Amino acid sequence: MKKKGSYKLGIAVMAIGILMLLGFLGINIGWIIALVIPSYFVYQGWKLFTTRDSKCKKGFGIALMIVGLLWLTGMLHVLIGLAIAALLIYYGMKIIQNNKMLSIAPEIEAAMGESSNASPFANEFSYKDYDFLDEWENEMNKNQK
């Protein structure tokens, strides 16, 4: 008789409850979980690798075995860290190669138009024919007379 998935889930929940109860009693054997889960990954990976005809499932089985073995040896965090570092380097190089600028406010960038170094308000306050300092001097001279 084949057991359903809910039966396996019930066994797993019961095992976790037993480990928690033993932990409250002072018997800490939670390290068993760190052995059981990666061992299960290796077992399932081996089963996928040996019994499936599909190349995709064989590849997934190999990947599952590698993850399980790395987890058992304590090297999984190193692999994840290297993968994250490689992704960050890759995306950084893509940004540099494409000369893309990360934009915080696209509305401001759109208002700036072609010139990315100019202020978005440059068109509103730039009067090339008009000198504000000269106008101020003229007003001051009028007020003093």
Side-chain angles (χ1 to χ4, degrees):
M1 181 171 106
K2 189 168 179 167
K3 305 290 184 194
K4 292 185 178 180
S6 60
Y7 178 79
K8 291 178 184 177
L9 179 65
I11 295 291
V13 169
M14 206 169 73
I16 291 172
I18 290 170
L19 288 174
M20 288 175 67
L21 181 64
L22 288 174
F24 283 125
L25 296 175
I27 305 169
N28 293 320
I29 56 173
W31 55 269
I32 290 177
I33 292 177
L35 290 176
V36 170
I37 294 174
S39 299
Y40 183 73
F41 278 14
V42 171
Y43 169 73
Q44 286 296 327
W46 180 255
K47 199 162 92 173
L48 278 174
F49 178 72
T50 57
T51 60
R52 302 291 186 232
D53 295 330
S54 170
K55 286 184 180 181
C56 180
K57 292 198 178 190
K58 282 188 177 197
F60 184 69
I62 290 171
L64 203 57
M65 283 191 298
I66 289 171
V67 168
L69 289 172
L70 286 172
W71 194 347
L72 278 171
T73 59
M75 297 298 291
L76 186 62
H77 70 283
V78 174
L79 182 68
I80 292 171
L82 287 174
I84 291 172
L87 284 173
L88 289 174
I89 291 170
Y90 173 75
Y91 285 118
M93 290 299 292
K94 292 281 275 189
I95 290 171
I96 290 171
Q97 287 175 355
N98 294 335
N99 291 328
K100 289 183 181 176
M101 293 180 58
L102 296 177
S103 175
I104 295 173
E107 308 84 40
I108 294 175
E109 191 172 310
M112 289 168 48
E114 293 293 321
S115 171
S116 61
N117 294 332
S119 168
F121 306 108
N123 294 335
E124 293 179 26
F125 299 113
S126 65
Y127 298 102
K128 295 181 181 170
D129 308 357
Y130 191 73
D131 190 5
F132 289 105
L133 186 57
D134 288 339
E135 181 64 30
W136 180 76
E137 283 182 41
N138 291 337
E139 287 292 321
M140 292 302 289
N141 288 337
K142 286 179 190 179
N143 290 339
Q144 286 181 358
K145 291 183 182 180

